[in-house]
PDB file of all heavy atoms in Angstrom:
ATOM      1  N   GLU B 523     -22.125  -0.260  91.396  1.00  0.00           N
ATOM      2  CA  GLU B 523     -21.316  -1.398  90.986  1.00  0.00           C
ATOM      3  C   GLU B 523     -22.147  -2.291  90.075  1.00  0.00           C
ATOM      4  O   GLU B 523     -23.287  -2.633  90.368  1.00  0.00           O
ATOM      5  CB  GLU B 523     -20.883  -2.165  92.233  1.00  0.00           C
ATOM      6  CG  GLU B 523     -19.884  -3.262  91.948  1.00  0.00           C
ATOM      7  CD  GLU B 523     -19.656  -4.110  93.187  1.00  0.00           C
ATOM      8  OE1 GLU B 523     -18.757  -3.766  93.988  1.00  0.00           O
ATOM      9  OE2 GLU B 523     -20.407  -5.093  93.376  1.00  0.00           O
ATOM     10  N   ILE B 524     -21.560  -2.617  88.957  1.00  0.00           N
ATOM     11  CA  ILE B 524     -22.240  -3.503  87.997  1.00  0.00           C
ATOM     12  C   ILE B 524     -21.447  -4.790  87.928  1.00  0.00           C
ATOM     13  O   ILE B 524     -20.228  -4.764  87.660  1.00  0.00           O
ATOM     14  CB  ILE B 524     -22.290  -2.869  86.596  1.00  0.00           C
ATOM     15  CG1 ILE B 524     -22.911  -1.462  86.648  1.00  0.00           C
ATOM     16  CG2 ILE B 524     -23.073  -3.764  85.622  1.00  0.00           C
ATOM     17  CD1 ILE B 524     -22.786  -0.705  85.354  1.00  0.00           C
ATOM     18  N   GLU B 525     -22.120  -5.917  88.152  1.00  0.00           N
ATOM     19  CA  GLU B 525     -21.419  -7.194  88.057  1.00  0.00           C
ATOM     20  C   GLU B 525     -22.116  -8.091  87.048  1.00  0.00           C
ATOM     21  O   GLU B 525     -23.338  -8.251  87.079  1.00  0.00           O
ATOM     22  CB  GLU B 525     -21.393  -7.881  89.432  1.00  0.00           C
ATOM     23  CG  GLU B 525     -20.593  -9.172  89.409  1.00  0.00           C
ATOM     24  CD  GLU B 525     -20.733  -9.950  90.704  1.00  0.00           C
ATOM     25  OE1 GLU B 525     -20.404  -9.398  91.781  1.00  0.00           O
ATOM     26  OE2 GLU B 525     -21.188 -11.127  90.655  1.00  0.00           O
ATOM     27  N   LEU B 526     -21.329  -8.662  86.166  1.00  0.00           N
ATOM     28  CA  LEU B 526     -21.881  -9.584  85.181  1.00  0.00           C
ATOM     29  C   LEU B 526     -21.154 -10.923  85.311  1.00  0.00           C
ATOM     30  O   LEU B 526     -19.919 -10.959  85.323  1.00  0.00           O
ATOM     31  CB  LEU B 526     -21.683  -9.039  83.767  1.00  0.00           C
ATOM     32  CG  LEU B 526     -22.324  -7.681  83.514  1.00  0.00           C
ATOM     33  CD1 LEU B 526     -21.279  -6.691  83.018  1.00  0.00           C
ATOM     34  CD2 LEU B 526     -23.423  -7.827  82.495  1.00  0.00           C
ATOM     35  N   ALA B 527     -21.950 -11.983  85.397  1.00  0.00           N
ATOM     36  CA  ALA B 527     -21.345 -13.317  85.503  1.00  0.00           C
ATOM     37  C   ALA B 527     -22.039 -14.237  84.517  1.00  0.00           C
ATOM     38  O   ALA B 527     -23.266 -14.191  84.370  1.00  0.00           O
ATOM     39  CB  ALA B 527     -21.484 -13.839  86.928  1.00  0.00           C
ATOM     40  N   HIS B 528     -21.249 -15.032  83.845  1.00  0.00           N
ATOM     41  CA  HIS B 528     -21.826 -15.902  82.812  1.00  0.00           C
ATOM     42  C   HIS B 528     -21.409 -17.358  83.025  1.00  0.00           C
ATOM     43  O   HIS B 528     -20.240 -17.643  83.287  1.00  0.00           O
ATOM     44  CB  HIS B 528     -21.358 -15.411  81.437  1.00  0.00           C
ATOM     45  CG  HIS B 528     -21.978 -16.166  80.303  1.00  0.00           C
ATOM     46  ND1 HIS B 528     -21.404 -17.303  79.780  1.00  0.00           N
ATOM     47  CD2 HIS B 528     -23.118 -15.943  79.615  1.00  0.00           C
ATOM     48  CE1 HIS B 528     -22.179 -17.755  78.800  1.00  0.00           C
ATOM     49  NE2 HIS B 528     -23.226 -16.951  78.680  1.00  0.00           N
ATOM     50  N   VAL B 529     -22.409 -18.259  82.909  1.00  0.00           N
ATOM     51  CA  VAL B 529     -22.101 -19.689  82.984  1.00  0.00           C
ATOM     52  C   VAL B 529     -22.821 -20.410  81.844  1.00  0.00           C
ATOM     53  O   VAL B 529     -23.874 -19.971  81.396  1.00  0.00           O
ATOM     54  CB  VAL B 529     -22.540 -20.299  84.335  1.00  0.00           C
ATOM     55  CG1 VAL B 529     -21.793 -19.672  85.493  1.00  0.00           C
ATOM     56  CG2 VAL B 529     -24.050 -20.188  84.524  1.00  0.00           C
ATOM     57  N   PRO B 530     -22.221 -21.516  81.380  1.00  0.00           N
ATOM     58  CA  PRO B 530     -22.914 -22.276  80.338  1.00  0.00           C
ATOM     59  C   PRO B 530     -24.114 -23.024  80.921  1.00  0.00           C
ATOM     60  O   PRO B 530     -24.184 -23.266  82.119  1.00  0.00           O
ATOM     61  CB  PRO B 530     -21.864 -23.282  79.851  1.00  0.00           C
ATOM     62  CG  PRO B 530     -20.596 -22.940  80.557  1.00  0.00           C
ATOM     63  CD  PRO B 530     -20.927 -22.101  81.741  1.00  0.00           C
TER      64      PRO B 530
END
Side-chain angles (χ1 to χ4, degrees):
Chain B
E523 188 188 271
I524 306 171
E525 184 188 302
L526 301 124
H528 185 270
V529 297

